[in-house]
Amino acid sequence: MKKILLICLFIIMSLLQASPQVAYAQDVESFVRDFYKWYLKQSLATDDLPVFDQAIFKYVCRCTAKRVQFDYNRGVGGNGADYYIKGQDVVKEQLEDFKIGGSIDVSDNLRLVSVSMRKEYSPYIVVYVEKTNGSMCISKVEDSPGPNFRAPVY
């Protein structure tokens, strides 16, 4: 009887244990959430762009951050839009309203996370998060073109 009880307890415990992929997905979403909290607070607190703050390397891949800084210094980019928020003005409501969607696993080392800066969740930013050598970094931020209105082809 004790053996059966012990086996049942072991099976229940193994089923309740979180899988590593779920934990990684949650970590990626909280990583992106932490980045945007920091970035929006920095944007509101100072007139300087957080793009040039050395703390950005904590969140953004070095090559991406350097390329964005280079583009800002040259005055080229997204028609005056901020690279990381895909908009021109940072307002306090964005800090209160931004939402992080679920992450999509592209490969073992790359996940996509959707971000919305609006009160109602409508993602318009896609953040690429890479995992290299056990640490995460944002490698790319793109506009989301919106819903897929193509006819069903598949």
Side-chain angles (χ1 to χ4, degrees), residues 72-142:
Y72 272 73
N73 283 331
R74 290 185 333 164
V76 298
N79 301 327
D82 186 282
Y83 177 78
Y84 297 104
I85 62 170
K86 301 302 180 191
Q88 292 184 339
D89 297 324
V90 177
V91 292
K92 188 176 181 181
E93 288 77 27
Q94 285 177 318
L95 184 58
E96 299 163 358
D97 294 339
F98 85 93
K99 293 172 183 49
I100 305 296
S103 63
I104 299 171
D105 190 15
V106 176
S107 69
D108 290 341
N109 298 329
L110 179 65
R111 286 179 106 57
L112 305 181
V113 181
S114 58
V115 178
S116 174
M117 296 288 176
R118 301 177 181 118
K119 193 168 237 171
E120 69 283 342
Y121 180 73
S122 58
Y124 68 94
I125 299 173
V126 177
V127 179
Y128 291 65
V129 180
E130 288 184 15
K131 187 172 185 180
T132 54
N133 300 328
S135 63
M136 290 183 274
C137 67
I138 295 171
S139 61
K140 187 177 186 180
V141 179
E142 283 188 337

Side-chain angles (χ1 to χ4, degrees), residues 148-154:
N148 185 353
F149 292 117
R150 292 183 292 166
V153 201
Y154 308 109

